[in-house]
Amino acid sequence: MTTSFSKKKTKLYKNELFSLAKLVFLIPITIIILLLIFLWSSSSTIISGNIIHLCFQSRKLNDLYCISAGTHQNLEAPSSFSSNVTTSATKIVDDLQQKSTRLGIPIPPGYHAFRNGMVKSDEELLVAYNDVEDQLEMHRSWTSTSQNHNATLCNGRGIYVYELPTKFNKDLVSQCADMVPWVDLCDYFSNDAMGEAVQKLGKGWYQTHQYSLELIFHSRVMNHPCRVQNISEAELFYVPFYAGLDVLRWHFKNVTNDVKDSLGLELVKWLESQPTWFKRSAITCELHAGKDHIFVLGKISWDFRRYSNSNWGSRFLELNEMQNPVKLLIERQPWHLNDIGIPHPTFFHPQSDNDITTWQLKLLNESRKSLISFAGAARPDAPESIRSMLINQCTSTSECKFMNCSSGSCDQPESIIELFIESEFCLQPPGDSPTRKSVFDSLISGCIPVIFDPFTAYYQYPWHLPEDYKKYSVFIDQEDVRNMKVNVVDRLMKIPAGEKQNMRKYIIYELLPGLVYGDPKSKLEKFQDAFSITMNNLFERLTRLEL
Ligand SMILES: *[C@@H]1O[C@H](CO)[C@@H](O)[C@H](O)[C@H]1NC(C)=O
Ligand SMILES: *[C@@H]1O[C@H](CO)[C@@H](O)[C@H](O)[C@H]1NC(C)=O
Ligand SMILES: *[C@@H]1O[C@H](CO)[C@@H](O)[C@H](O)[C@H]1NC(C)=O
Ligand SMILES: *[C@@H]1O[C@H](CO)[C@@H](O)[C@H](O)[C@H]1NC(C)=O
Ligand SMILES: *[C@@H]1O[C@H](CO)[C@@H](O)[C@H](O)[C@H]1NC(C)=O
Ligand SMILES: *[C@@H]1O[C@H](CO)[C@@H](O)[C@H](O)[C@H]1NC(C)=O
């Protein structure tokens, strides 16, 4: 009698500790929310003509992150802002907040980093950047040290993959021929979505499409050692909704916004009919519904956060129900904690440890004939883009090789990869959005990326790239390029050989294996690829958050 009583007491005490731990976790979240509210009430917004720019500054990078809307016909700013507004920034942001949801930030193709003539050095801008950095710090705190390769290490924690009605995934894939007007995606989705093999580059190389991540990740998770068939044994729930393909198929078609949003809404309804969606809420409260659910989205976050008065993309990630789940994306929305950046898929999908080592040895053996290369296209419609300046600097010296993507020469994986493995530095200016798949192509070719905007990589991939970006990249502020304060070629020529060597070795040995998504049939033992790093950290997050 006494024994059982004291046992009960211990259990109660444990439960109290448990809730306390949860409370402690809630505090930083609350702070972040308060910061966001503060930011909203005070960040700098510049309105020039029909264009809105929202800008934020970093304490570490001394740079501004700006997001602009209105340069594209489809991205007209809300009409009340189109006139000569001279009201204070606070008032404008207040108005803006009412016109849009959360950080209702506009999206490509009108998106670009922009800084000229900006009101700057406001404390609020610092808050915004600090907030991004705090979030990344939290993401990094979920980094697992385990080498989870087999089921014995799952520790009883399973991941369940929902079997969704086919309209949410397979049926979207079968629209491949008609998804975008200028290319048939069907070949790209063959071979477990790796695409057709590229013999010329060797074993494990494929013509992979940049928007294939949803399919690739899905195949991988089906074979994960911690996957369980019995839903009541699961701690994590994977929702294989191909939301990226869903928005992609509407991008270039004249349909209403309701049409673009409809499948996402159906998916949310479907989830809410699943008792597992509310599993966490049953123990605690409604607030936690979906916290243990995982989505992988193969397009950038902005494509799912349609700005009011725009018609680009869907509002899927703005739905209330979508706030709790983890969204793994090739480009995160920097002010959403549950948006976590994971690498863009590259052309390399090794099957074995040996495929990786063979490639590493090949890279180390390369003579790197060019100092610099740039594969890209100019952005004539975006005058503030630094791309044209970089192309000019590049084409005026023999040290730099320019591959003109406007003329179609970048379509073949082998041309890009062969250029990059022969170069020491690869220029990676932002394109339509800050991140670039090309950063990953460059890293897996052993070419040191030159980054011009912190949101291109440093503020995106906390699980796959280290905080100390100097280990693997060179940062040149795009504003210095724009103001002609720096010649990129001259700057890079001054970097000592030893420094280049160290960066390259770090990239090839330490980073490369963790940046590629292995073949779904792969058996990696020595190395952890981008997929297994992600999975281990998702489990670690559960532990840390005591979910
Ligand atoms: C905006 O203000 C400028 C200067 O104050 C003025 O020259 C211009 O005509 C105004 N434009 C509109 C649309 O009111
Ligand atoms: C799983 O991993 C552990 C530790 O690395 C190892 O000892 C064990 O043999 C592995 N089991 C299987 C079935 O591969
Ligand atoms: C699923 O797991 C639960 C809890 O472990 C168990 O009670 C149930 O019998 C299992 N169902 C099946 C079909 O194996
Ligand atoms: C799009 O569809 C609407 C309604 O059917 C039509 O009025 C409009 O002209 C179309 N726009 C274009 C660019 O085709
Ligand atoms: C390294 O390069 C040399 C010549 O450049 C070549 O003979 C050798 O086979 C290469 N080794 C590997 C492992 O690729
Ligand atoms: C790149 O190709 C496009 C289209 O062929 C052409 O208009 C442009 O001038 C080229 N750019 C350079 C720098 O050669």
Side-chain angles (χ1 to χ4, degrees), residues 87-100:
T87 356
S88 72
T90 314
K91 167 82 169 62
I92 292 164
V93 172
D94 283 349
D95 291 349
L96 193 62
Q97 190 176 15
Q98 294 188 351
K99 302 274 178 208
S100 61

Side-chain angles (χ1 to χ4, degrees), residues 1-9:
M1 179 72 192
T2 334
T3 335
S4 80
F5 182 69
S6 82
K7 252 188 192 158
K8 200 176 166 198
K9 226 177 154 182

Side-chain angles (χ1 to χ4, degrees), residues 62-83:
N62 189 29
D63 193 8
L64 278 169
Y65 179 70
C66 300
I67 292 153
S68 315
T71 57
H72 189 269
Q73 197 196 349
N74 290 340
L75 288 169
E76 287 296 324
S79 55
S80 62
F81 298 127
S82 303
S83 58

Side-chain angles (χ1 to χ4, degrees), residues 315-358:
R315 290 193 69 256
F316 183 56
L317 293 189
E318 297 289 339
L319 302 175
N320 283 335
E321 295 83 352
M322 283 306 296
Q323 301 316 305
N324 276 345
V326 169
K327 281 83 62 179
L328 302 167
L329 297 137
I330 53 176
E331 179 174 321
R332 61 186 298 261
Q333 203 282 18
W335 292 278
H336 280 280
L337 184 66
N338 290 335
D339 267 22
I340 300 178
I342 61 172
H344 286 248
T346 61
F347 305 119
F348 188 32
H349 306 282
Q351 259 195 47
S352 63
D353 291 337
N354 197 37
D355 289 353
I356 295 179
T357 0
T358 307

Side-chain angles (χ1 to χ4, degrees), residues 56 100 187 225 513:
F56 309 92
S100 61
D187 287 344

Side-chain angles (χ1 to χ4, degrees), residues 531-544:
F531 169 78
S532 53
I533 290 172
T534 305
M535 292 302 294
N536 290 348
N537 292 354
L538 288 173
F539 281 112
E540 188 71 23
R541 170 181 170 273
L542 280 186
T543 311
R544 297 292 166 100

Side-chain angles (χ1 to χ4, degrees), residues 391 402 404 406-407:
I391 291 171
F402 171 60
N404 190 350
S406 310
S407 53

Side-chain angles (χ1 to χ4, degrees), residues 399-416:
E399 301 285 349
C400 187
K401 267 197 179 159
F402 171 60
M403 185 178 274
N404 190 350
C405 292
S406 310
S407 53
S409 43
C410 301
D411 295 346
Q412 298 306 315
E414 57 268 35
S415 12
I416 303 244

